[in-house]
Amino acid sequence: MKTLEGKVAVVTGGARGIGRAICEALSEAGAKVVVADLSLAEAEETARAIEGMAVSMDVTRFDDLASNMQNVADAMGGIDILVNNAGIFNMASLDKVTADDYRRQYDVNVGGTIFACQAAVPHIRKRGGGTIINFSSQAGRRGEPNITLYCSTKAAVISVTQSLALELADDNIRVNAIAPGVVDTPMWDVVDAQFAQYENKPLGQKKREVGEAVPLGRMGAPRDIADPVVFLASDAARYITAQTLNVDGGNWMS
């Protein structure tokens, strides 16, 4: 169903993994999709597959985001939907946490979310309202050993989502978040390798364990995350704002 016909959606980190699945799902729902990513070449590949627009965007270059969004709005005729999917993960025990890693994870995961919203909201407001969907994680719902930075950034995204939803309600801009569980993407191979180091496990064991521990019996697939994004962006979710939706196969109950 073309539930998003005529809408313009910007997806940060949209070139691969969950981001690409989101772009595909939004396009199938009728939206005109802007694939925003650090890698312009990969963004262009995804954009070609969905007949969308590709842009190079570094969400940590906060001062550039306003001009980036202005260029998108000029090219597409406006912005209705912003999906803040760009994010990074790194493990470190307390004794190995560095200031550089702290700044990088907070700049991408939290700052990138806040300043992308700041840059997109004026254009969404001009359209009479719209929706913003941020990406948290099940790691933002609970602490985990050796992941202090990542967990805290994803908890911050939940708080940012709630605050912006209240601030932008009068503008008819709904702000929600999705908290994925474990999702089978190339990123999880990186995560698995880091767990192997910290938990002294063979490569692949942690990934297998977390999949088996999910109540629904498997890791998520990117499309499992993308379809709820379409729902939250659509009029079917018109009375939902300030919420963080767990999409994790039952890992976290709230």
Side-chain angles (χ1 to χ4, degrees):
M1 295 178 63
K2 299 293 186 179
T3 57
L4 301 176
E5 192 76 51
K7 303 295 186 182
V8 176
V10 180
V11 182
T12 70
R16 66 194 75 81
I18 293 173
R20 176 164 180 149
I22 292 168
C23 291
E24 292 169 346
L26 291 170
S27 178
E28 289 170 16
K32 295 183 289 184
V33 180
V34 179
V35 185
D37 204 278
L38 266 176
S39 170
L40 181 58
E42 289 182 297
E44 288 173 337
E45 180 184 350
T46 297
R48 281 193 297 271
I50 62 170
E51 297 183 353
M53 173 183 174
V55 297
S56 176
M57 188 177 294
D58 182 346
V59 298
T60 68
R61 298 186 64 172
F62 305 145
D63 292 341
D64 293 342
L65 288 174
S67 60
N68 291 159
M69 293 296 180
Q70 182 67 60
N71 291 339
V72 166
D74 289 344
M76 303 295 282
I79 299 172
D80 302 285
I81 301 161
L82 171 65
V83 182
N84 284 308
N85 170 71
I88 60 172
F89 170 93
N90 189 46
M91 288 184 71
S93 56
L94 181 60
D95 59 309
K96 292 182 173 62
V97 169
T98 67
D100 284 345
D101 191 23
Y102 166 82
R103 284 188 288 267
R104 180 66 177 161
Q105 290 200 58
Y106 267 84
D107 279 355
V108 174
N109 297 348
V110 184
T113 296
I114 292 171
F115 287 101
C117 288
Q118 182 188 70
V121 160
H123 304 289
I124 299 174
R125 189 180 285 128
K126 288 178 182 177
R127 303 276 273 193
T131 186
I132 296 169
I133 300 161
N134 299 322
F135 263 75
S136 179
S137 166
Q138 69 176 23
R141 296 291 200 184
R142 64 185 181 218
E144 297 185 29
N146 304 315
I147 317 178
T148 298
L149 292 181
Y150 182 76
C151 288
S152 61
T153 64
K154 292 304 184 177
V157 169
I158 295 174
S159 180
V160 167
T161 298
Q162 293 170 347
S163 294
L164 289 181
L166 297 177
E167 182 174 340
L168 299 174
D170 286 345
D171 294 307
N172 193 34
I173 299 174
R174 296 184 296 105
V175 187
N176 292 293
I178 285 182
V182 290
V183 183
D184 193 0
T185 67
M187 175 59 72
W188 236 98
D189 294 329
V190 176
V191 174
D192 177 82
Q194 293 190 29
F195 271 108
Q197 175 186 352
Y198 276 92
E199 297 185 358
N200 195 29
K201 294 180 177 180
L203 287 174
Q205 181 174 332
K206 185 69 175 184
K207 184 176 180 179
R208 184 177 64 256
E209 289 173 351
V210 297
E212 292 171 349
V214 175
L216 287 184
R218 63 173 177 84
M219 295 184 79
R223 190 60 186 238
D224 294 328
I225 312 302
D227 287 341
V229 171
V230 173
F231 164 69
L232 288 175
S234 75
D235 284 343
R238 59 190 171 273
Y239 200 56
I240 300 174
T241 196
Q243 306 304 308
T244 297
L245 177 63
N246 302 324
V247 187
D248 58 15
N251 266 354
W252 184 259
M253 291 177 281
S254 63

